[in-house]
Amino acid sequence: MDRQALPLTGSSTAAGPHLTLGQVLVAEQDLSPGQLRQALIEQAEGAERLTLSEVILRNGWVAEARLLRALAVSRGLEFIDDPSLQAEPGARAAVPESYRTDLRILPLSLRDGELRVCTSDPDDFYTLDALARETGLRVRACVATRSAIEAVLDATGEDEPADAKDEGKQAELIETMVEDFDESSIQVASHEATEIAGDAATSGPVVRLVNFMIASAVREGASDIHIEPDEGALRVRYRIDGTLFCKLVPPYRMHAAISSRVKIMARLDISERRVPQDGEISVRIDGKAIDLRVSTLPGKFGEKIVMRVIDRSTARLGLEKLGFREEMLVRFHKVIDEPHGVILVTGPTGSGKSTTLYSVLSGFDTNSMNVSTVEDPVECNLSGVHQVQTNVKAGMTFAGALRALLRQDPDILMVGEIRDTETAQVAVQAALTGHLVLSTLHTNDAPSATTRLVNLGVEPFLVAAALRGVLAQRLVRRVCSKCKEEYQPDAHVRAAMGKYGELAGRLWRGVGCPRCHQSGLAGRLGLYELFVPNEAQLDAITARVEPGAFRRLLEESGFESLWDDGMCKVIAGQTTIEEVHGACKR
C-alpha cells in the first residue's frame, strides 16, 4: 500500500477513527504483522506497563514522527508535519503559561470559541479536559512531534517573564473578541433587552473576555476586579498591592453582555438591574482554587461590578510569611498559645486582618481541639474547622451563632468581627469561661481596642480580665525585587525617619520595571504593633485611665508602634518611607 494512502486526519474518512494504532501502522507498512504481534506480547507481559507506542519506540521499529502520525489517524486527529508551525498571539494569551512551559501544549489558533492546540501526547485526555475547563473554550487537539512543538515554544520566548509576554498580547486578544462580538445585542427594545443580553452573555467573545479577565487578574496577583461603566466608555481595573490599575478598555457596547455573563456565573438575576446583588463564583486558575465575591451596584451609566479575588492557597499562609519580625512573632506565638482569653486583630478594611486570623487558625491542631468560626462571609474553607455563615435575615447574627457554638463544647472560637454590644459581651463571657476567642475590631491602633470594648458596653474590669493581646496591622507594598537599587538617603529623608535616621546608612527603592508596573513596588507585607497588657496596664484599663495617659504608660514600657515596625522594615530594605508614612496615616 502507498505510504500516503491514509489521510492525515481521521475526520476525512470513516475508516480512520475505527482503526487501532497497530492496524494503522501495518496498513501504512511501517510495521509488519509479526512485529505488531511481538509488540503486543511485550506490552502484555512487561512489568513496566508501557503503552504500545512506547514498546514500538523502544524497539526502534518506527520513527517518532511516523508513529505519532499513525496515532493521530487512529484517534481521528490531525497530524501536523509542517516546519512553519506557528502559534497565534491571541491563542497563546488564552492558554495558561503552565500548560505551555510544563506540559508543552502549543496553542495554535482561537476562532469562534474553539481553541486549537498541538500536543505530542494525544492520549493525555486529562490535560486537554483540564485546559477546556480552565479556559471555558472548546479545545480541539492536533498532533505533532515534541521536538517540533518545543522548537516553536522556544522560538516564541517561553522563557520570558510572564509580565513581558502577556502585556503585549492582551490588546490583540481583546481586539479579536471585540471583532467577533455582535453589538445588536444592546440595540433592542427594553422589553427584549434581558433575553438578548442573556444570549449575548453566553456568546463566544463575551465568555472568552470574562474568562480572560478573571484569569489575568489572578495571575497578576489582583485582589479585586472593577468593571466600571461611564458615559459611552467602559474600563476594567485590577487592584494590585492595594493600588488600582486600568488593565482593559472594552467598548461600552459590550457592557450589558459582560455584566450578564458575570451574573450568570455568580447565579444572580440578570433581569434585575435596579438593586444591588451579591453572589459568588468558584473557578480554577492554573490548578489553584479561586473564589470570587461578586457585588453589583446600579449607576447612572449601568451596573458597576466588583469581584473580590480570594485565593484559597494564600488565604491561610503561615504567620512566618506575613512579614512579622522575628522577635514580635515569638511574642505573638506566646499570646495565641494562651488556653483562654480574648485576642483581637485591629485595623481598617483591607489591612489583612482575616488573613492573619486564618493563618492563626491553620496552626492549631484541629484533630485534638474543637475549633469553630462565625464569619460574614466565610472567605476560606479550613480543614477540620467548623465554619458558620451569618444570616441576619434569618436571625443568625454573630452573637446568636456564638451563643449556639458555646453549647457545642468549643476550645477555640473565631468571631469575624465584634461590631455590637451583644457580640462583645458574649465574646468576653466566653473567654472568661475557659475559651480562646479570636476576633477583629475596627480601631486605628492596638491600645484603642480597650477603649472600643468599653464603649461597646463591656465593663472595664471584664475587659482587663479577658484580654490577652491586641495586634494592630497595616499592609504596605514591598520594594520590587527585580528593579531594587540601593541609595544614600539625604538629610531630609533622615529627618523624616526621626530616631531611625541615624541608623539609615543606606536604603533601597525600586526604579520601575514591567513586573511592578513601573511603580518600583511589588507584593505586600504587614506592619504590626502588638499590645500584651502587663499588670500596671490592666489596672489602668480597670481604672478607665484616659487614652493619652494610657498611651504614655505603654511608651514607658517600651511599646513599639506601627511606625517603629515600619522604620525597621525600611532600614532592612523591605519597603519605603513613603509606604510606611501612608500606612500609618490610615
Side-chain angles (χ1 to χ4, degrees):
M1 179 183 289
D2 187 346
R3 293 173 68 89
Q4 299 298 326
L6 289 175
L8 294 183
T9 171
S11 60
S12 60
T13 176
H18 298 290
L19 296 176
T20 65
L21 171 62
Q23 289 172 329
V24 173
L25 289 170
V26 171
E28 290 277 359
Q29 298 181 0
D30 288 317
L31 200 67
S32 69
Q35 289 173 323
L36 175 59
R37 284 193 297 272
Q38 183 179 339
L40 291 171
I41 292 171
E42 288 183 23
Q43 182 190 16
E45 295 180 350
E48 300 171 87
R49 297 190 176 183
L50 299 176
T51 64
L52 181 61
S53 303
E54 291 168 334
V55 173
I56 293 171
L57 281 176
R58 187 175 64 177
N59 283 292
W61 292 328
V62 181
E64 180 191 11
R66 294 297 300 176
L67 182 66
L68 282 174
R69 178 185 180 279
L71 189 61
V73 171
S74 71
R75 303 295 187 265
L77 303 175
E78 177 185 4
F79 178 74
I80 300 177
D81 188 14
D82 186 352
S84 63
L85 190 66
Q86 292 184 351
E88 294 181 1
R92 289 186 63 234
V95 174
E97 182 183 6
S98 59
Y99 285 88
R100 304 192 305 266
T101 57
D102 299 334
L103 302 173
R104 311 310 276 172
I105 298 292
L106 173 64
L108 296 176
S109 62
L110 180 59
R111 297 284 188 279
D112 299 323
E114 182 179 86
L115 177 66
R116 186 164 164 261
V117 300
C118 202
T119 177
S120 62
D121 186 2
D123 287 337
D124 187 3
F125 303 111
Y126 175 80
T127 295
L128 297 173
D129 185 55
L131 178 60
R133 290 197 309 271
E134 193 158 325
T135 60
L137 302 169
R138 300 188 307 276
V139 174
R140 181 161 71 91
C142 304
V143 184
T145 63
R146 186 176 180 87
S147 58
I149 291 173
E150 289 184 341
V152 178
L153 290 174
D154 293 341
T156 51
E158 287 300 328
D159 56 343
E160 297 178 41
D163 299 338
K165 289 184 293 181
D166 294 340
E167 203 166 294
K169 298 175 180 61
Q170 289 185 3
E172 293 183 50
L173 178 63
I174 294 169
E175 184 178 350
T176 302
M177 296 171 181
V178 171
E179 288 176 354
D180 292 343
F181 179 68
D182 180 9
E183 63 180 296
S184 66
S185 62
I186 65 167
Q187 298 174 350
V188 294
S190 58
H191 67 276
E192 300 172 333
T194 297
E195 181 179 350
I196 296 185
D199 292 340
T202 58
S203 66
V206 174
V207 171
R208 296 200 302 274
L209 180 57
V210 172
N211 288 348
F212 174 79
M213 184 191 308
I214 294 172
S216 64
V218 171
R219 290 175 189 134
E220 292 194 43
S223 61
D224 302 271
I225 305 169
H226 294 244
I227 303 172
E228 303 169 324
D230 203 342
E231 186 174 9
L234 179 65
R235 67 177 177 178
V236 179
R237 296 194 292 172
Y238 300 165
R239 187 179 294 279
I240 302 173
D241 298 332
T243 303
L244 284 168
F245 295 91
C246 185
K247 306 297 291 188
L248 309 173
V249 187
Y252 180 78
R253 66 180 186 270
M254 294 186 75
H255 174 253
I258 291 172
S259 174
S260 296
R261 175 59 186 168
V262 173
K263 286 182 176 182
I264 289 170
M265 295 175 71
R267 298 179 178 85
L268 301 178
D269 184 356
I270 66 171
S271 66
E272 182 55 78
R273 301 173 184 167
R274 300 164 298 175
V275 298
Q277 297 187 69
D278 295 302
E280 186 176 325
I281 299 171
S282 295
V283 295
R284 293 192 72 85
I285 305 295
D286 296 338
K288 294 191 297 184
I290 305 294
D291 291 331
L292 299 118
R293 310 285 187 227
V294 180
S295 172
T296 71
L297 182 65
K300 183 177 180 180
F301 302 107
E303 290 178 293
K304 176 179 177 179
I305 297 176
V306 175
M307 292 182 278
R308 185 180 180 191
V309 181
I310 300 173
D311 184 345
R312 299 180 196 173
S313 64
T314 59
R316 48 179 182 268
L317 291 170
L319 289 172
E320 295 76 11
K321 299 180 181 179
L322 298 183
F324 282 93
R325 287 184 293 138
E326 185 176 353
E327 60 270 25
M328 186 174 290
L329 183 59
V330 171
R331 292 178 60 217
F332 190 48
H333 271 299
K334 290 181 179 178
V335 173
I336 61 181
D337 285 341
E338 291 281 348
H340 53 80
V342 172
I343 300 172
L344 299 173
V345 179
T346 75
T349 301
S351 59
K353 300 187 298 295
S354 296
T355 299
T356 298
L357 285 178
Y358 277 130
S359 298
V360 171
L361 290 177
S362 65
F364 289 123
D365 181 6
T366 56
N367 292 320
S368 61
M369 290 189 290
N370 180 3
V371 183
S372 299
T373 72
V374 185
E375 305 172 64
D376 182 26
V378 175
E379 295 188 4
C380 175
N381 297 326
L382 294 174
S383 177
V385 177
H386 179 62
Q387 297 173 272
V388 178
Q389 169 77 53
T390 62
N391 186 339
V392 176
K393 291 181 180 179
M396 177 69 82
T397 62
F398 276 116
L402 188 52
R403 281 197 180 93
L405 286 174
L406 287 173
R407 295 191 288 269
Q408 298 212 338
D409 187 32
D411 296 300
I412 298 167
L413 292 166
M414 192 272 272
V415 184
E417 181 184 350
I418 294 177
R419 60 177 67 158
D420 56 56
T421 298
E422 188 179 12
T423 305
Q425 291 176 339
V426 175
V428 169
Q429 288 298 329
L432 293 174
T433 54
H435 306 91
L436 185 64
V437 180
L438 310 172
S439 189
T440 68
L441 202 62
H442 284 286
T443 63
N444 290 329
D445 55 29
S448 299
T450 60
T451 305
R452 176 64 176 153
L453 288 176
V454 172
N455 291 341
L456 282 172
V458 182
E459 291 291 340
F461 72 92
L462 293 178
V463 174
L467 192 64
R468 294 293 176 269
V470 184
L471 180 77
Q473 65 179 72
R474 300 290 190 277
L475 291 177
V476 294
R477 292 181 291 176
R478 293 178 181 269
V479 176
C480 178
S481 60
K482 296 292 184 182
C483 60
K484 185 176 184 178
E485 70 170 14
E486 182 183 319
Y487 74 99
Q488 297 294 324
D490 57 25
H492 178 73
V493 171
R494 292 177 186 274
M497 295 179 69
K499 64 181 181 181
Y500 294 95
E502 300 177 0
L503 305 174
R506 58 180 182 176
L507 299 177
W508 286 263
R509 62 191 172 196
V511 297
C513 66
R515 178 178 182 266
C516 62
H517 306 281
Q518 305 302 324
S519 68
L521 301 161
R524 290 198 285 183
L525 79 159
L527 302 185
Y528 303 97
E529 66 179 27
L530 179 61
F531 167 47
V532 183
N534 58 28
E535 289 297 327
Q537 293 156 3
L538 291 174
D539 290 341
I541 294 172
T542 303
R544 296 197 183 202
V545 171
E546 62 94 18
F550 188 67
R551 187 83 190 191
R552 289 192 293 273
L553 182 63
L554 263 66
E555 291 172 355
E556 291 171 2
S557 67
F559 176 73
E560 291 188 340
S561 66
L562 288 165
W563 174 262
D564 295 320
D565 191 46
M567 286 300 101
C568 290
K569 288 168 181 174
V570 169
I571 293 171
Q574 295 175 293
T575 188
T576 65
I577 299 173
E578 294 78 11
E579 282 292 300
V580 174
H581 180 69
C584 292
K585 286 172 60 178
R586 294 197 291 271

